[in-house]
Amino acid sequence: MNLFHRDKHGGGSSGGYVTAGSLGHTANGTPLDQVLYAHVRPDPIKWMGIPTGWDGHWKSPAEWADDLAGSSWGVWAELNGVEKPGQDAIDRTAVEYLNYAEKWGGFHPKDAFEITTYLHVPSPTISALPVRVWVDDAPDLTVEKATEASEAIRPPVVEEFTTETLGTGRKVTIYGTLDPEPGDLPGTQTTWVSVCYAFKVPTRQAVVTIRATDTDLGRMTGAAGDIDEFVSLINLHQAVPGHLPVPWSPPEQ
């Protein structure tokens, strides 16, 4: 969760924001020492996380994209016993990664909670598939509300999904259509599929949510097993004001 809150009275920083540290709670009222974050360490051969800030190892989205594009192709070439492709291929991959990094990377103070984006890239020869993860502390939020399918064009597929850390939650597969773009042929419709997981955190005002969406239905089908595995690896960390978050588990009932 982002520890920033919009200052409606114009005080705080020059950007019109005040820290949750000065308020003592998040925008949704969660005390700072109860803020939870989703944490996951997936298979680095298949996944890469987009940084939520550019003040660490990578100083900009472009630096991150260039670095990861080169390493993605390097690993791919090594695993397949072939030569690394030319710079043109690496540059095209870097542009793709850069688009995601600029859209979803870095710090977003207007968000009520931190949203982390991971790219599923088992091979740089196929398009990256973004998977977004967050812990929503909105009051009265349920897994049913977190996985609502108001835009579905057919009844969604609803399943139970259980992980060792998060317990039993809800997995919902939703199909929808995009609005036609200017210049599209009459009657043209693009179908998308979204897979959403949600887990209520016992004893806390929090729901862990994971969502993957794409218009390439075959790509989503092929990634289904890896996404399930990714979700099963998620655990929770708790905020410690002034320090790094620490692992957290719900108390035994």
Side-chain angles (χ1 to χ4, degrees):
M1 300 173 191
N2 276 343
L3 298 186
F4 272 70
H5 187 280
R6 182 70 179 177
D7 180 10
K8 298 180 180 179
H9 303 290
S13 69
S14 59
Y17 298 92
V18 294
T19 65
S22 64
L23 296 172
H25 57 77
T26 69
N28 288 319
T30 301
L32 297 189
D33 61 357
Q34 294 185 24
V35 173
L36 297 176
Y37 299 88
H39 181 266
V40 60
R41 289 185 177 178
D43 183 349
I45 300 297
K46 298 180 179 180
W47 297 90
M48 60 182 71
I50 299 178
T52 55
W54 303 115
D55 54 355
H57 179 73
W58 295 284
K59 304 304 180 184
S60 70
E63 184 179 333
W64 175 83
D66 289 343
D67 191 4
L68 270 293
S71 62
S72 293
W73 279 108
V75 170
W76 175 85
E78 182 177 348
L79 290 176
N80 289 276
V82 298
E83 291 186 4
K84 191 174 180 179
Q87 192 60 41
D88 286 349
I90 297 172
D91 288 345
R92 285 194 295 271
T93 299
V95 169
E96 179 186 18
Y97 294 174
L98 178 61
N99 288 335
Y100 286 119
E102 289 181 333
K103 182 176 182 179
W104 286 321
F107 180 59
H108 297 268
K110 290 184 179 180
D111 293 343
F113 41 80
E114 182 176 273
I115 303 175
T116 306
T117 302
Y118 294 83
L119 299 181
H120 179 248
V121 191
S123 166
T125 60
I126 62 176
S127 61
L129 175 64
V131 177
R132 312 200 73 202
V133 184
W134 64 93
V135 181
D136 192 337
D137 66 335
D140 302 321
L141 183 64
T142 64
V143 294
E144 290 77 19
K145 291 180 180 179
T147 55
E148 283 182 341
S150 58
E151 298 179 344
I153 58 174
R154 67 180 78 162
V157 178
V158 180
E159 309 168 72
E160 281 192 349
F161 193 89
T162 302
T163 80
E164 183 177 349
T165 302
L166 301 178
T168 298
R170 182 178 168 100
K171 175 184 176 181
V172 180
T173 303
I174 307 159
Y175 292 87
T177 55
L178 297 175
D179 293 332
E181 295 286 340
D184 285 349
L185 294 174
T188 299
Q189 282 192 319
T190 299
T191 301
W192 53 261
V193 60
S194 182
V195 181
C196 184
Y197 307 73
F199 302 85
K200 184 74 175 73
V201 180
T203 75
R204 291 296 179 91
Q205 176 182 300
V207 173
V208 182
T209 305
I210 305 95
R211 184 181 290 271
T213 303
D214 207 289
T215 55
D216 187 337
L217 307 189
R219 178 74 175 87
M220 286 288 288
T221 299
D226 284 347
I227 297 174
D228 280 353
E229 181 183 43
F230 174 92
V231 174
S232 71
L233 295 174
I234 293 174
N235 54 52
L236 295 173
H237 280 199
Q238 178 172 292
V240 179
H243 301 277
L244 293 175
V246 298
W248 180 87
S249 298
E252 294 185 4
Q253 301 295 314

